[in-house]
mmCIF file of all heavy atoms in Angstrom:
data_model
loop_
_atom_site.group_PDB
_atom_site.id
_atom_site.type_symbol
_atom_site.label_atom_id
_atom_site.label_comp_id
_atom_site.label_asym_id
_atom_site.label_seq_id
_atom_site.Cartn_x
_atom_site.Cartn_y
_atom_site.Cartn_z
ATOM 1 N N VAL A 336 131.850 91.516 115.082
ATOM 2 C CA VAL A 336 130.779 90.668 115.553
ATOM 3 C C VAL A 336 131.277 89.252 115.657
ATOM 4 O O VAL A 336 131.733 88.627 114.638
ATOM 5 C CB VAL A 336 129.609 90.731 114.560
ATOM 6 C CG1 VAL A 336 128.407 89.827 114.978
ATOM 7 C CG2 VAL A 336 129.097 92.145 114.376
ATOM 8 N N PRO A 337 131.232 88.655 116.817
ATOM 9 C CA PRO A 337 131.756 87.191 116.953
ATOM 10 C C PRO A 337 131.064 86.310 116.001
ATOM 11 O O PRO A 337 129.838 86.292 115.836
ATOM 12 C CB PRO A 337 131.392 86.924 118.406
ATOM 13 C CG PRO A 337 131.320 88.199 119.106
ATOM 14 C CD PRO A 337 130.690 89.235 118.082
ATOM 15 N N GLY A 338 131.838 85.455 115.346
ATOM 16 C CA GLY A 338 131.337 84.452 114.439
ATOM 17 C C GLY A 338 130.802 84.989 113.141
ATOM 18 O O GLY A 338 130.176 84.253 112.339
ATOM 19 N N ALA A 339 131.024 86.281 112.795
ATOM 20 C CA ALA A 339 130.523 86.818 111.567
ATOM 21 C C ALA A 339 131.433 86.480 110.404
ATOM 22 O O ALA A 339 132.516 86.001 110.550
ATOM 23 C CB ALA A 339 130.482 88.362 111.699
ATOM 24 N N VAL A 340 130.845 86.703 109.237
ATOM 25 C CA VAL A 340 131.641 86.458 108.046
ATOM 26 C C VAL A 340 132.848 87.445 107.984
ATOM 27 O O VAL A 340 132.747 88.552 108.362
ATOM 28 C CB VAL A 340 130.737 86.707 106.747
ATOM 29 C CG1 VAL A 340 131.566 86.604 105.448
ATOM 30 C CG2 VAL A 340 129.522 85.779 106.745
ATOM 31 N N TRP A 341 133.928 86.949 107.495
ATOM 32 C CA TRP A 341 135.125 87.773 107.499
ATOM 33 C C TRP A 341 135.281 88.477 106.142
ATOM 34 O O TRP A 341 135.096 87.921 105.097
ATOM 35 C CB TRP A 341 136.439 86.910 107.757
ATOM 36 C CG TRP A 341 136.483 86.560 109.221
ATOM 37 C CD1 TRP A 341 135.708 85.748 109.912
ATOM 38 C CD2 TRP A 341 137.386 87.156 110.188
ATOM 39 N NE1 TRP A 341 136.100 85.695 111.247
ATOM 40 C CE2 TRP A 341 137.162 86.549 111.470
ATOM 41 C CE3 TRP A 341 138.444 88.034 110.053
ATOM 42 C CZ2 TRP A 341 137.843 86.829 112.590
ATOM 43 C CZ3 TRP A 341 139.176 88.325 111.236
ATOM 44 C CH2 TRP A 341 138.835 87.771 112.481
ATOM 45 N N LEU A 342 135.591 89.739 106.195
ATOM 46 C CA LEU A 342 135.722 90.564 105.023
ATOM 47 C C LEU A 342 137.087 91.275 105.083
ATOM 48 O O LEU A 342 137.407 91.957 106.005
ATOM 49 C CB LEU A 342 134.692 91.639 104.945
ATOM 50 C CG LEU A 342 133.197 91.172 104.991
ATOM 51 C CD1 LEU A 342 132.251 92.330 105.105
ATOM 52 C CD2 LEU A 342 132.876 90.347 103.778
ATOM 53 N N PHE A 343 137.846 91.058 104.013
ATOM 54 C CA PHE A 343 139.109 91.771 103.905
ATOM 55 C C PHE A 343 140.016 91.476 105.162
ATOM 56 O O PHE A 343 140.720 92.399 105.613
ATOM 57 C CB PHE A 343 139.048 93.264 103.674
ATOM 58 C CG PHE A 343 138.230 93.617 102.479
ATOM 59 C CD1 PHE A 343 136.928 94.130 102.563
ATOM 60 C CD2 PHE A 343 138.666 93.356 101.233
ATOM 61 C CE1 PHE A 343 136.192 94.445 101.467
ATOM 62 C CE2 PHE A 343 137.942 93.637 100.110
ATOM 63 C CZ PHE A 343 136.684 94.170 100.219
ATOM 64 N N GLY A 344 139.881 90.370 105.786
ATOM 65 C CA GLY A 344 140.708 89.991 106.887
ATOM 66 C C GLY A 344 140.254 90.509 108.233
ATOM 67 O O GLY A 344 140.925 90.369 109.255
ATOM 68 N N SER A 345 139.115 91.186 108.250
ATOM 69 C CA SER A 345 138.546 91.673 109.494
ATOM 70 C C SER A 345 137.093 91.298 109.688
ATOM 71 O O SER A 345 136.436 91.030 108.678
ATOM 72 C CB SER A 345 138.726 93.142 109.629
ATOM 73 O OG SER A 345 137.960 93.813 108.615
ATOM 74 N N GLY A 346 136.638 91.266 110.897
ATOM 75 C CA GLY A 346 135.225 90.782 111.108
ATOM 76 C C GLY A 346 134.248 91.785 110.514
ATOM 77 O O GLY A 346 134.475 92.964 110.469
ATOM 78 N N LEU A 347 133.106 91.238 110.034
ATOM 79 C CA LEU A 347 132.012 92.025 109.583
ATOM 80 C C LEU A 347 131.625 92.948 110.749
ATOM 81 O O LEU A 347 131.555 92.490 111.938
ATOM 82 C CB LEU A 347 130.862 91.150 109.194
ATOM 83 C CG LEU A 347 129.600 91.801 108.644
ATOM 84 C CD1 LEU A 347 129.889 92.411 107.308
ATOM 85 C CD2 LEU A 347 128.494 90.743 108.492
ATOM 86 N N VAL A 348 131.403 94.172 110.463
ATOM 87 C CA VAL A 348 131.218 95.146 111.515
ATOM 88 C C VAL A 348 129.747 95.484 111.818
ATOM 89 O O VAL A 348 128.947 95.411 110.893
ATOM 90 C CB VAL A 348 131.935 96.482 111.234
ATOM 91 C CG1 VAL A 348 133.442 96.262 111.160
ATOM 92 C CG2 VAL A 348 131.435 97.131 109.992
ATOM 93 N N THR A 349 129.489 95.757 113.032
ATOM 94 C CA THR A 349 128.222 96.434 113.403
ATOM 95 C C THR A 349 128.659 97.806 113.814
ATOM 96 O O THR A 349 129.834 98.178 113.811
ATOM 97 C CB THR A 349 127.469 95.750 114.439
ATOM 98 O OG1 THR A 349 126.259 96.398 114.698
ATOM 99 C CG2 THR A 349 128.212 95.697 115.801
ATOM 100 N N LEU A 350 127.756 98.669 114.153
ATOM 101 C CA LEU A 350 128.099 100.116 114.458
ATOM 102 C C LEU A 350 127.687 100.475 115.858
ATOM 103 O O LEU A 350 126.526 100.184 116.258
ATOM 104 C CB LEU A 350 127.494 101.028 113.442
ATOM 105 C CG LEU A 350 127.829 100.764 112.031
ATOM 106 C CD1 LEU A 350 127.046 101.679 111.049
ATOM 107 C CD2 LEU A 350 129.332 101.025 111.782
ATOM 108 N N LEU A 351 128.577 101.122 116.568
ATOM 109 C CA LEU A 351 128.203 101.870 117.771
ATOM 110 C C LEU A 351 128.056 103.352 117.470
ATOM 111 O O LEU A 351 129.001 103.887 116.949
ATOM 112 C CB LEU A 351 129.231 101.637 118.878
ATOM 113 C CG LEU A 351 129.318 100.207 119.514
ATOM 114 C CD1 LEU A 351 130.407 100.199 120.545
ATOM 115 C CD2 LEU A 351 128.014 99.796 120.076
ATOM 116 N N VAL A 352 126.964 103.905 117.723
ATOM 117 C CA VAL A 352 126.669 105.242 117.303
ATOM 118 C C VAL A 352 126.403 106.109 118.460
ATOM 119 O O VAL A 352 125.505 105.834 119.280
ATOM 120 C CB VAL A 352 125.452 105.322 116.290
ATOM 121 C CG1 VAL A 352 125.201 106.766 115.881
ATOM 122 C CG2 VAL A 352 125.786 104.436 115.047
ATOM 123 N N ALA A 353 127.162 107.167 118.653
ATOM 124 C CA ALA A 353 126.879 108.228 119.636
ATOM 125 C C ALA A 353 126.348 109.440 118.906
ATOM 126 O O ALA A 353 126.901 109.805 117.844
ATOM 127 C CB ALA A 353 128.124 108.577 120.438
#
Side-chain angles (χ1 to χ4, degrees):
V336 178
V340 177
W341 284 71
L342 304 172
F343 303 110
S345 62
L347 184 65
V348 297
T349 186
L350 299 174
L351 290 180
V352 178

